[in-house]
Amino acid sequence: METTLAEPSKWQEFIAGFELFRDPLLCALIAGGVLGFLSVYVVLRRMVFVSAAVAQSAGLGVALAFFATIHLGVHVEPVVGATVMALAATLLLMTEPAKLRLTRESLLGLAYALAGGAAVLIGDRIAQEAHDIQGILFGTAVLVTPEQLHTVMVAGALVMFIQLWWYRGITFASFDRIGAHVQELPVRLLDAVLMVSIGVMVGVCARALGALPVFAFSTLSAIAALMLDFRLPATFFIATLAGAISGVGGYLFAYFFDFPVGGSQTVLAGALVALAMGARSLMGLFQRAR
């Protein structure tokens, strides 16, 4: 009598190979959560395209690191290149554009287009690493190395420690600058701490997960939270939660339905915004019916 063995389901395969998926899931959880928290500042301070320009610059930094290693014989860790270029873009965007006779939008457009174009040019000269460059720009983080996870964990812990420690000062300086000056708070220092936090997290997370999901975590998480119109502390909590759900949920969706990871994480972050819009509409109908 012939017997056939049933093939294991994807869920059984996932459980059996969980050790393989643990690091990318943990990385997505931390990156999504921390960037989700920072996204509230990014959106409320109207710096959405700052995140895009910094993420694009991080991709250029990785390409430069590969180029230096292959053609110049100088070994540079890609995460170092990503972080340095992300911080350089952050410092550029912190300058006062009026002194250069530019608008803020012009400076953002310059940083985004220049970094993106340069990444394409340098990528053309390092064809052997083209797959990695594509992964960084569009997010194909099926696997995350232990070094990348460790870097994201350390950076995330430091950023969240500083952000929670200086939460009241950074929030006050971000949303009531005149009042902060009157209270003699160091507004420029608080601005610098916030921008450096964004630059560091975008840099290390773009190397591990890709620029596309990093941009989604650092913008769409706050947009979903703000749609619900809660008080500011609750908004920070919901944005952090939305970022974490987008990171982990997107990875699981990509695994079970055979889609690219970065695209799945980005689409899930957008779906949470649509869900928040639906909840906001229902809340409005309920209030009008009372």
Side-chain angles (χ1 to χ4, degrees), residues 202-251:
V202 168
V204 299
C205 294
R207 174 65 187 105
L209 302 177
L212 181 61
V214 164
F215 175 65
F217 297 156
S218 57
T219 54
L220 298 180
S221 306
I223 293 173
L226 290 166
M227 290 295 300
L228 300 177
D229 199 22
F230 287 121
R231 295 174 66 85
L232 198 55
T235 299
F236 273 102
F237 175 75
I238 295 171
T240 304
L241 189 62
I245 290 173
S246 302
V248 175
Y251 189 92

Side-chain angles (χ1 to χ4, degrees), residues 34-232:
V34 178
L35 289 171
F37 181 92
L38 294 172
S39 70
V40 179
Y41 293 115
V42 171
V43 173
L44 287 181
R45 294 182 61 156
R46 299 181 180 181
M47 302 190 304
V48 168
F49 289 103
V50 168
S51 177
V54 174
Q56 195 79 314
S57 300
L60 172 60
V62 175
L64 285 171
F66 284 135
F67 185 89
T69 302
I70 295 170
H71 294 292
L72 304 180
V74 179
H75 179 69
V76 180
E77 286 293 336
V79 69
V80 174
T83 305
V84 168
M85 287 305 298
L87 285 174
T90 303
L91 293 175
L92 171 67
L93 297 174
M94 284 176 63
T95 59
E96 181 53 54
K99 293 180 180 177
L100 305 173
R101 296 180 179 273
L102 294 172
T103 63
R104 179 70 64 188
E105 289 74 17
S106 301
L107 204 57
L108 285 170
L110 171 66
Y112 181 85
L114 184 60
V120 172
L121 291 182
I122 294 171
D124 187 64
R125 291 294 181 269
I126 47 175
Q128 57 269 55
E129 304 292 350
H131 179 72
D132 279 345
I133 298 296
Q134 290 293 316
I136 291 158
L137 294 179
F138 301 108
T140 56
V142 178
L143 299 176
V144 171
T145 67
E147 291 77 16
Q148 290 171 353
L149 174 61
H150 183 258
T151 304
V152 170
M153 288 176 68
V154 171
L158 285 174
V159 165
M160 284 307 298
F161 174 75
I162 293 172
Q163 290 297 319
L164 294 176
W165 184 20
W166 287 10
Y167 170 76
R168 297 184 67 176
I170 293 174
T171 304
F172 195 14
S174 295
F175 307 130
D176 186 2
R177 299 182 69 82
I178 295 175
H181 280 296
V182 171
Q183 295 292 328
E184 298 183 348
L185 288 178
V187 175
R188 291 181 66 84
L189 173 63
L190 294 170
D191 280 350
V193 169
L194 175 61
M195 295 298 285
V196 169
S197 298
I198 294 171
V200 168
M201 279 310 295
V202 168
V204 299
C205 294
R207 174 65 187 105
L209 302 177
L212 181 61
V214 164
F215 175 65
F217 297 156
S218 57
T219 54
L220 298 180
S221 306
I223 293 173
L226 290 166
M227 290 295 300
L228 300 177
D229 199 22
F230 287 121
R231 295 174 66 85
L232 198 55

